[in-house]
Amino acid sequence: MLALFSIGSAAYYMIWRCKYTRLGLLVPPLKKWQRYLLYSPMVLFILFLLLILWAMKEDAEFVRFEKDKDKNRYFTLKEATPFGEIVLPKGTQIRKYIPQGYQYNAPADLNDVEGIQFPYPVTINGISIIEIAPTTGFLRLAEDYHFTDKTGKAITCSKTNYLNVHLNNFDLRTIYNNKNLPIPPSTFKPSLWTFSDCNVPVELASPPQ
């Protein structure tokens, strides 16, 4: 729209000027309101273009910043590392929560871990697990798991699904309520878990392609 106004203003000025020159008359100077009418769309159009260029530059910078943060969001353990009540084996892939934005950043440590993918099945509480979301209680099974729910019903959870457990972790809930605190590895307490149900598969810890 600004471009059309700018072109229209320039065309009007040329037609107005040609009218006088064709008659051999002296072109009168533009009045103040005429100058505003002629130049303001052009100025606004140029400013709008500069704003777009600035926004594109800022967006590219933000994308580069977030991509650099992904090195700390997604990483692989180089050695066996304690994590709460268990030890994560070497080669475990970690997905860590780091909010977007320039004011947020964090090292590649085990605070605020959202997803853990083991390099091979790991047994926790008698359950063979290949992947886990430690703050929500979703476990991707490596083998079928049989358990009894709280009503006494026998349930088989297929390894094609996720086993959902209740974390029963008051410390973790307290940390969630205080957004200024990170979630440390010490909150991972499988000894407190109770079984819930099975869920269809969802993506947990896979890094972006």
Side-chain angles (χ1 to χ4, degrees):
M1 186 64 71
L2 286 174
L4 291 176
F5 274 123
S6 299
I7 295 171
S9 298
Y12 173 79
Y13 174 71
M14 294 304 296
I15 293 171
W16 177 80
R17 184 182 179 88
C18 287
K19 175 183 174 182
Y20 284 91
T21 56
R22 189 171 60 250
L23 297 174
L25 301 175
L26 182 66
V27 179
L30 292 173
K31 296 179 181 179
K32 188 174 183 180
W33 68 269
Q34 290 176 318
R35 291 197 300 270
Y36 282 141
L37 184 63
L38 175 63
Y39 295 119
S40 58
M42 299 179 186
V43 172
L44 291 175
F45 179 60
I46 292 172
L47 290 176
F48 183 66
L49 286 179
L50 291 175
L51 179 62
I52 291 177
L53 292 175
W54 175 83
M56 291 174 61
K57 178 179 177 297
E58 287 296 309
D59 183 66
E61 184 68 25
F62 183 80
V63 169
R64 284 194 297 270
F65 184 74
E66 288 298 320
K67 188 174 181 179
D68 189 60
K69 285 165 62 175
D70 280 344
K71 298 174 185 177
N72 294 337
R73 285 191 177 107
Y74 305 95
F75 58 93
T76 301
L77 296 182
K78 305 299 183 185
E79 57 185 21
T81 307
F83 187 77
E85 295 180 346
I86 69 170
V87 174
L88 304 178
K90 176 183 177 181
T92 298
Q93 296 180 26
I94 301 295
R95 187 188 73 194
K96 174 185 168 91
Y97 173 68
I98 302 178
Q100 290 191 337
Y102 289 114
Q103 66 271 39
Y104 300 109
N105 207 342
D109 58 22
L110 294 180
N111 288 316
D112 298 310
V113 171
E114 285 188 321
I116 298 172
Q117 184 169 310
F118 301 114
Y120 48 80
V122 171
T123 300
I124 302 176
N125 285 1
I127 311 170
S128 183
I129 300 170
I130 194 65
E131 194 172 359
I132 182 171
T135 56
T136 57
F138 281 103
L139 318 175
R140 183 157 66 93
L141 302 177
E143 299 176 0
D144 293 351
Y145 184 70
H146 309 277
F147 69 99
T148 303
D149 67 10
K150 53 188 175 183
T151 66
K153 180 182 177 181
I155 296 177
T156 297
C157 192
S158 170
K159 68 178 181 180
T160 60
N161 287 3
Y162 282 99
L163 177 64
N164 187 24
V165 299
H166 290 300
L167 300 176
N168 301 315
N169 190 336
F170 180 76
D171 292 338
L172 181 58
R173 197 176 310 120
T174 301
I175 292 173
Y176 263 133
N177 293 334
N178 187 343
K179 302 304 181 183
N180 295 322
L181 292 177
I183 299 174
S186 59
T187 60
F188 185 72
K189 301 177 180 179
S191 60
L192 301 178
W193 293 351
T194 54
F195 303 126
S196 178
D197 52 25
C198 287
N199 295 271
V200 294
V202 292
E203 196 71 20
L204 287 183
S206 300
Q209 300 299 319

